[in-house]
Amino acid sequence: MKRPLTLRGRLALMALATSVLWIGVLTTVFNIALDKRLHGQADDVLRTRAEAVAATVDVRPDGRLVVREPTEDRALDAGVWIFQGGTVVEKPPTAPAGLEAQAARLAGRRETFADTDGPGSWRLYAFPVAAPARQGHIPTQAGTVVGSVSLDPYRSTADTALIGSIALAVLLLATIYLLTRLVVRRALRPVAAMSEQATRWSAAGAPERFGAQGRPAELAAFATSLDALLDRLAAVLRHEQQQAAELSHELRTPLARIAAETEWLTGRPRSAEQRETSLEAIAGAAATMQQICDSLLSEVRTRSAQTPGRSRFSDIAHCLAERNAALFPDAPPVTVAAGSGTPVGTPEVGIGVSEDVAERILTPLLDNARRYAAHSVTLTCEASAGEVTVCVSDDGPGVPEDFVASLFEPGRRARPEDGHDGAGLGLALARRLARAAGGDIALDAAAPGARFVVTLPAG
């Protein structure tokens, strides 16, 4: 059987299956009880008729049976035999073939019931006729009254009741199934309406929300879940819009520089030195654009990553220090030092992010420290329960007090005129990467120079 695709169909099928079980049990119990009741009625009829006939039988002192013939005894004679021993004293005027032989088998027996084995369905009952008791003797059985009744009417009643109960059960099941589908459809109508509203609101970024007030408990929980989903979608949409705005804003300056230099080069003939200077400016603007795109794409890849990875701080720190020394030989060196609580270089100092992500988080901080450091840049690490703290410090002038509040805003620089390259996205993207990995970046304003504290999950 194919499983229904809709929730309404599944609930209706479940209700139908449950109803089939219970109605089947009730129908079976009803018909079994009715069959037993009809058999009991047949036995009562046999017993009453046999006792009435036995009341018309007198036993003489010599043991012979004398049957008194009351008026209108046809009802009593119907299907009744009177036996004295194995001899028939009286028998019904008409009886089915073979039924008398069945009755003769019961002659002389105690009170008992029996069913025929041949064609037709008959029930027989033997009722003993006792002889008068003599003083000092045990009463003896002088004869037997055997009554019979056809079970066909009773079985016909039972069969009719069975067919009627089955028809009623089928009708009841069909009604239950249709009503269940109707009720479930009406009950799920608000859910369908809420789903359609959620689709429209999420597509348009609308601020409307369902709210749980005034709803049933189930729909209240559903509305709360939908509201949380809409909030998350709205946050993602705002993030994407903000990212697009940042990308557009940051790319506008180098693009304008490239366009201006290109127009200046093609406007009129230039000297070789002028062309070289202009080409260097175009190359620098293109490099800035590449840096902006790489930084934003790195943040997107980290945010969508499924596994955080694992790395060792000592490997990352020494790699970054060697790279800084190779690329910027005239810049202050990066010193890897032990923190106050954990020695550096031990395998136990693990970070719960991959080396690539950890480098992309620390590189903007080191670049920033290298630009403003006077003599040294220090990289330290401390491990605690479930967390690793990495500090990037320099002995430069530090962050201006009036710029601390906007330090991590994208596109903002404390000193745009200082001559250093950069698009103003490094610190903002570093913090996004850290938060996407389950950590954060903060400025230690009380420390001399500039000291950035990076918290990341332990590996």
Side-chain angles (χ1 to χ4, degrees), residues 169-187:
V170 171
L171 180 61
L172 184 59
L173 290 174
T175 304
I176 290 175
Y177 180 74
L178 294 177
L179 287 178
T180 302
R181 287 184 65 90
L182 179 62
V183 170
V184 172
R185 180 178 181 179
R186 292 178 63 88

Side-chain angles (χ1 to χ4, degrees), residues 81-215:
W81 289 264
I82 301 176
F83 291 91
Q84 184 173 0
T87 304
V88 178
V89 176
E90 186 174 315
K91 62 181 180 179
T94 58
L99 189 59
E100 185 173 344
Q102 296 282 347
R105 293 194 188 102
L106 298 178
R109 294 189 183 183
R110 297 292 182 182
E111 183 178 3
T112 184
F113 288 93
D115 294 323
T116 59
D117 300 328
S121 180
W122 292 82
R123 180 83 165 161
L124 301 174
Y125 171 67
F127 182 78
V129 179
R134 297 180 181 179
Q135 188 175 3
H137 292 78
I138 299 175
T140 59
Q141 183 174 341
T144 308
V145 175
V146 179
S148 66
V149 66
S150 175
L151 296 179
D152 290 340
Y154 298 97
R155 291 191 175 178
S156 176
T157 302
D159 293 342
T160 302
L162 177 62
I163 295 173
S165 60
I166 292 177
L168 181 62
V170 171
L171 180 61
L172 184 59
L173 290 174
T175 304
I176 290 175
Y177 180 74
L178 294 177
L179 287 178
T180 302
R181 287 184 65 90
L182 179 62
V183 170
V184 172
R185 180 178 181 179
R186 292 178 63 88
L188 294 179
R189 191 175 298 167
V191 179
M194 292 171 63
S195 300
E196 293 176 0
Q197 289 178 339
T199 302
R200 293 196 302 269
W201 293 346
S202 61
E208 291 86 355
R209 294 296 181 266
F210 297 105
Q213 187 175 3
R215 299 183 184 275

Side-chain angles (χ1 to χ4, degrees), residues 331-335 365-366 368-379 392-399 447-452:
V334 176
T335 303
L365 301 178
L366 289 174
N368 190 72
R370 172 180 53 79
R371 293 189 186 105
Y372 300 103
H375 302 94
S376 66
V377 176
T378 305
L379 190 61
V392 181
S393 307
D394 65 74
D395 58 352
V399 180
R451 184 171 187 265
F452 290 91

Side-chain angles (χ1 to χ4, degrees), residues 238-260:
R238 288 194 301 270
H239 179 83
E240 299 300 331
Q241 291 173 346
Q242 180 183 4
Q243 189 178 51
E246 292 170 2
L247 183 61
S248 174
H249 178 269
E250 297 303 323
L251 291 179
R252 187 179 295 112
T253 301
L255 275 175
R257 179 72 180 275
I258 292 174

Side-chain angles (χ1 to χ4, degrees), residues 11-359:
L11 292 176
L13 187 61
M14 185 182 300
L16 180 63
T18 305
S19 301
V20 166
L21 176 63
W22 282 107
I23 293 177
V25 170
L26 292 176
T27 302
T28 302
V29 171
F30 167 76
N31 284 277
I32 291 176
L34 179 63
D35 186 69
K36 290 184 177 180
R37 178 59 180 166
L38 292 175
H39 273 77
Q41 289 181 354
D43 292 347
D44 291 341
V45 170
L46 284 173
R47 186 180 289 107
T48 301
R49 185 180 300 173
E51 290 177 354
V53 172
T56 64
V57 178
D58 294 331
V59 182
R60 292 189 175 183
D62 56 1
R64 287 187 303 111
L65 299 181
V66 178
V67 180
R68 291 181 278 106
E69 297 292 341
T71 59
E72 300 297 333
D73 63 345
R74 293 180 180 179
L76 296 178
D77 293 338
V80 176
W81 289 264
I82 301 176
F83 291 91
Q84 184 173 0
T87 304
V88 178
V89 176
E90 186 174 315
K91 62 181 180 179
T94 58
L99 189 59
E100 185 173 344
Q102 296 282 347
R105 293 194 188 102
L106 298 178
R109 294 189 183 183
R110 297 292 182 182
E111 183 178 3
T112 184
F113 288 93
D115 294 323
T116 59
D117 300 328
S121 180
W122 292 82
R123 180 83 165 161
L124 301 174
Y125 171 67
F127 182 78
V129 179
R134 297 180 181 179
Q135 188 175 3
H137 292 78
I138 299 175
T140 59
Q141 183 174 341
T144 308
V145 175
V146 179
S148 66
V149 66
S150 175
L151 296 179
D152 290 340
Y154 298 97
R155 291 191 175 178
S156 176
T157 302
D159 293 342
T160 302
L162 177 62
I163 295 173
S165 60
I166 292 177
L168 181 62
V170 171
L171 180 61
L172 184 59
L173 290 174
T175 304
I176 290 175
Y177 180 74
L178 294 177
L179 287 178
T180 302
R181 287 184 65 90
L182 179 62
V183 170
V184 172
R185 180 178 181 179
R186 292 178 63 88
L188 294 179
R189 191 175 298 167
V191 179
M194 292 171 63
S195 300
E196 293 176 0
Q197 289 178 339
T199 302
R200 293 196 302 269
W201 293 346
S202 61
E208 291 86 355
R209 294 296 181 266
F210 297 105
Q213 187 175 3
R215 299 183 184 275
E218 296 81 1
L219 289 183
F222 182 59
T224 303
S225 300
L226 283 179
D227 287 344
L229 178 60
L230 290 173
D231 290 339
R232 184 172 181 180
L233 289 176
V236 171
L237 183 60
R238 288 194 301 270
H239 179 83
E240 299 300 331
Q241 291 173 346
Q242 180 183 4
Q243 189 178 51
E246 292 170 2
L247 183 61
S248 174
H249 178 269
E250 297 303 323
L251 291 179
R252 187 179 295 112
T253 301
L255 275 175
R257 179 72 180 275
I258 292 174
E261 293 293 339
T262 304
E263 183 180 357
W264 188 80
L265 277 176
T266 58
R268 57 180 178 173
R270 304 293 178 182
S271 65
E273 184 179 356
Q274 289 175 334
R275 285 197 302 269
E276 183 178 355
T277 302
S278 183
L279 290 175
E280 288 179 357
I282 292 174
T288 301
M289 291 176 63
Q290 183 178 2
Q291 178 189 1
I292 294 171
C293 293
D294 290 343
S295 299
L296 290 174
L297 291 176
S298 296
E299 191 269 337
V300 172
R301 284 194 296 268
T302 303
R303 180 162 42 89
S304 60
Q306 297 296 321
T307 54
R310 188 178 186 276
S311 59
R312 292 194 306 175
F313 169 76
S314 59
D315 298 338
I316 299 171
H318 288 98
C319 178
L320 291 175
E322 293 172 1
R323 184 185 304 169
N324 182 78
L327 295 177
F328 309 100
D330 297 331
V334 176
T335 303
V336 180
S340 60
T342 305
V344 177
T346 60
E348 291 76 10
V349 183
I351 304 176
V353 297
S354 64
E355 289 188 9
D356 184 46
V357 174
E359 288 183 5

